[in-house]
Amino acid sequence: MNTNLPSPGPVALGAAADAEKNVGVKEDPPFSNDGKWIRMYQNAVNPPLPAGSPWCACFVRYRLEAAAKAINHPLPSDFPDSGWCPDYQDWGKQHKLWIPSSSMARCNAQRGDLCLFWFDAKERVAHIGIVVGTWDGGVITVEGNTTDGVTVQREGDGVYRRKRSWSAFGSGGGFVRLCF
C-alpha cells in the first residue's frame, strides 16, 4: 500500500462535483435498475449493461468519462471500462493507488477518491461510489444504485449522498486515489 499518494487529479475532482449534481436521480420504476438516466449510466461501460443490471460502477464510470471529456483529458488507457466493482479495486492495487479501509491510511481519503465496499456474503467488493467530503469518523460519498437507509445497499433506487463511517467499508473495502 502506498502511503505517499499524490492528490486527486482534475478528472477525479470534476467527477465528484458532477456526482453531487446527480443526487436525486431515481430509477423508474423504483427498484428496477432501469430508467432514462440509469440506462445512460449502464451504457457508459463496455460492453453496455442491459436494463435491469446493477449500475453503481456504471454511474462512477459515466461521471469520470464526462469529467474527462469536459477538460479534454483522456482516462488512462488501462482504466476499467466496466460495471464490475472488483475491476476498479484491482486497477488501484496494480497502480499502488489502493488505500485499504482497514489501515490508518484510510484517514487520507480525499474528495474525488473512489470508495469500494466489501460484502462478506459475496467475498468481494460489490459496491462503489465517489468521495465528496470527509468527517472525523469517515467520508461523505455520492453513490448510485443505493438508498438513503442506514446500511450499505448495492441494490437501491437512485443516486444518494451518504455519510459513511470507516466500518461501513467492511474488511476488504477501501479507496482508489485517481491522480488524473
Side-chain angles (χ1 to χ4, degrees):
M1 174 196 63
N2 186 353
T3 57
N4 190 21
L5 296 172
S7 297
V11 172
L13 295 173
D18 290 343
E20 289 180 298
K21 295 174 188 171
N22 286 166
V23 170
V25 168
K26 296 286 182 83
E27 295 176 359
D28 185 24
F31 299 99
S32 65
N33 285 336
D34 200 4
K36 173 184 166 188
W37 296 106
I38 308 321
R39 284 191 299 279
M40 189 171 59
Y41 304 145
Q42 291 164 332
N43 286 328
V45 298
N46 188 19
L49 296 184
S53 299
W55 52 274
C56 60
C58 302
F59 171 73
V60 167
R61 176 66 192 200
Y62 178 86
R63 291 285 30 120
L64 289 166
E65 282 181 3
K69 183 177 180 182
I71 62 170
N72 197 29
H73 188 294
L75 296 176
S77 61
D78 67 338
F79 190 73
D81 188 3
S82 165
W84 181 245
C85 295
D87 288 345
Y88 296 87
Q89 180 185 40
D90 292 345
W91 185 89
K93 287 179 176 182
Q94 274 184 329
H95 292 273
K96 299 185 180 0
L97 298 171
W98 174 249
I99 306 168
S101 64
S102 59
S103 75
M104 283 309 296
R106 70 182 181 214
C107 297
N108 293 324
Q110 295 182 33
R111 180 178 177 86
D113 288 348
L114 303 185
C115 54
L116 291 121
F117 300 86
W118 180 267
F119 282 73
D120 286 335
K122 296 209 168 273
E123 299 180 342
R124 65 175 174 84
V125 291
H127 185 61
I128 188 171
I130 301 173
V131 174
V132 297
T134 61
W135 59 288
D136 289 343
V139 293
I140 300 164
T141 65
V142 173
E143 303 163 31
N145 201 23
T146 195
T147 67
D148 60 356
V150 175
T151 61
V152 177
Q153 296 292 321
R154 58 182 299 277
E155 283 292 342
D157 70 339
V159 178
Y160 291 89
R161 183 179 173 98
R162 302 298 314 270
K163 187 175 184 180
R164 300 292 194 189
S165 67
W166 298 125
S167 63
F169 293 92
S171 62
F175 306 88
V176 176
R177 174 65 45 84
L178 301 179
C179 307
F180 49 88

